[in-house]
Structure formats: C-alpha cells, structure tokens
Amino acid sequence: MYRHLFLPMLMLLLLTSIALAKGEKLVLVGSGEPDPKDNLLVENLKKWGYVVEPHQHLAKHPVNLAGIDLVFISESTSSGNILDAYKNSAVPVVNAETWTYDDMGFAADGTFNSDAGDKLTIVDTEHPITEGFKGDLTVSKPAIALMTCSGFEGDVDILAVRADNDELVAISVYEKGAKTMKGTTKAIHVNIWPHSTGWQQVTEDGWELIHRSILYGLGQIPFDVAPQDKLAVTWGQIKTAR
C-alpha cells in the first residue's frame, strides 16, 4: 500500500520541481506596483516559483506581453481603468476583477455580485482545476466578499458557484477559441472569486484552487507524463495520495 502511495507522491515532487524551475513570468495587474493589499498574493505567487511583474491599473494597458506567460488580474484593479485591454490577450488570463466581465464580453453589466460569503459548491468535479473536490468547500475563513456573476454567456465552463446561491458563478473557464458576447478568445481565461481585501482569509483549499487556475492557464494540468513507463498523474491521484 505504501509503495502505491509513494509513486504518485514521488511524481508530484518531480513535477513540482520541474514547474518551479521554469520560472514562468506573470504580469500582475492591480491598483499598485503592487498594492500592499496584494502582498500575500505576490508572496504566494513567488513561493509557487513564478516571476511577478506588477503593473498598476492607471498605467497603459495592455502592457507589453513579450516574454510573459500569464496575466493575473487582481480585484484591486479598478475595471474602469483597464476595460477590455486583455480581451484579446494571446497569453492566458486569470481574472478576479468581476467588473471587467462586461468589457471582456463574458457577461452583461448588472449581473455581478460581491456579497460576503465563505463557501463555494463545486459543480464540475472532473475539471482539472476542481478535480478531487466535491460538494461545499470553505474558501474563506471568516467570510469575505466573493466575486461572482450570474450572467455568463457564450462557451463557458462553470466549475463552482456560491454555496448559498447557485446562480452566482465563482469559478469559470473560457477555453482558447471559445465564443463570447464579443467574439472569440485567443487564449484561456479563468475567472475566479477572491476579493483583494480578503487574501489573508483565503483557506488552504482556496489557495490550491487559485494555484490550479494558474497551472491550468499555463497548460500544466492535467499532468500528462508519458515516459517509457507511461505513468500519468492527475490531481485526483495526488489528492488521494495525501
């Protein structure tokens, strides 16, 4: 039994070391360079092995994305300052600023919500971002504002909703080439729930979902390892091994 657990865990360590060694470069869009409220986010991004290039929302957007692997838009961003700047981004985008969704062509204005809450319900247990999680999940302790939307349109994958209101989507994905209200995406867009005033309250499970959102955008999950022994490791196996 222990041997069976050891192999997936060993592969996890190897894959983690590979991911960290790559040093992918992330643009962080927020209300500062960075705003102090995003300090914990930056700390975790660096802990996960990413190089963080912060840009305040008052600068010209989109910023130069040459050599950039992913754009992370913090909720500290004021949507009116960046509008649809990253709608046609050729690099993946992880977006926590719900009020940009109308500019991006994801949802109509007036369908956004930021009421306080602490739990999400996972509705897609097979997607690589949410695989291994089931039912209600505490993502904030205590409750903080959850950035959600009830009006998504187009080719969107719904992964999680507010536990107390399943019309409010908290995690969603538009794949590259997905149809939106304003055309089609040129890269993956992952929309997530955290409010920038509540990074300190995000739980371990919440941070794991944030990290997986980035990994998915970068194309690093699901893990697909096919050496001579054709061993594949998925998040479900990793979760079980824990």
Side-chain angles (χ1 to χ4, degrees):
M1 174 179 178
Y2 292 108
R3 182 178 302 172
H4 293 304
L5 291 175
F6 174 77
L7 287 174
M9 292 179 73
L10 176 61
M11 287 304 302
L12 170 60
L13 291 173
L14 291 173
L15 290 165
T16 300
S17 66
I18 291 171
L20 293 177
K22 289 181 179 178
E24 287 87 352
K25 194 169 185 179
L26 274 56
V27 156
L28 172 63
V29 181
S31 50
E33 295 186 14
D35 188 304
K37 69 176 67 171
D38 286 325
N39 281 349
L40 183 57
L41 170 63
V42 173
E43 180 182 320
N44 277 299
L45 292 174
K46 290 181 177 180
K47 180 182 70 176
W48 295 331
Y50 303 118
V51 177
V52 181
E53 181 180 295
H55 291 270
Q56 64 168 300
H57 57 184
L58 295 176
K60 182 180 179 180
H61 290 275
V63 300
N64 184 359
L65 296 179
I68 299 300
D69 298 293
L70 183 137
V71 175
F72 192 110
I73 302 174
S74 169
E75 183 280 331
S76 67
T77 303
S78 176
S79 61
N81 289 317
I82 67 168
L83 299 171
D84 66 351
Y86 296 96
K87 175 171 67 72
N88 294 317
S89 173
V91 302
V93 179
V94 174
N95 190 355
E97 173 48 310
T98 306
W99 266 258
T100 62
Y101 293 173
D102 54 335
D103 303 301
M104 303 287 275
F106 298 157
D109 193 13
T111 64
F112 315 138
N113 184 277
S114 59
D115 291 345
D118 59 355
K119 290 183 176 61
L120 304 183
T121 298
I122 306 301
V123 295
D124 186 344
T125 60
E126 297 183 357
H127 192 281
I129 293 176
T130 48
E131 182 183 358
F133 289 114
K134 294 181 180 180
D136 291 352
L137 186 71
T138 299
V139 294
S140 174
K141 190 181 295 185
I144 57 170
L146 302 181
M147 307 301 289
T148 58
C149 173
S150 62
F152 281 113
E153 297 188 31
D155 299 331
V156 60
D157 297 325
I158 305 301
L159 309 188
V161 298
R162 280 187 65 117
D164 57 1
N165 186 341
D166 61 11
E167 293 185 0
L168 294 172
V169 176
I171 307 177
S172 62
V173 175
Y174 284 89
E175 297 290 348
K176 179 180 179 180
K179 293 181 180 179
T180 71
M181 296 165 61
K182 295 187 176 182
T184 58
T185 57
K186 292 182 172 59
I188 292 174
H189 289 256
V190 184
N191 303 307
I192 57 176
W193 79 95
H195 195 281
S196 62
T197 61
W199 293 121
Q200 298 287 344
Q201 285 73 47
V202 175
T203 64
E204 181 179 348
D205 285 338
W207 281 114
E208 183 171 354
L209 289 172
I210 295 166
H211 192 190
R212 290 193 199 182
S213 297
I214 296 170
L215 291 170
Y216 187 75
L218 292 170
Q220 294 177 348
I221 54 171
F223 293 135
D224 185 11
V225 184
Q228 292 182 352
D229 59 0
K230 300 187 184 302
L231 174 64
V233 180
T234 69
W235 273 107
Q237 290 171 304
I238 292 168
K239 202 78 174 172
T240 301
R242 289 178 180 176

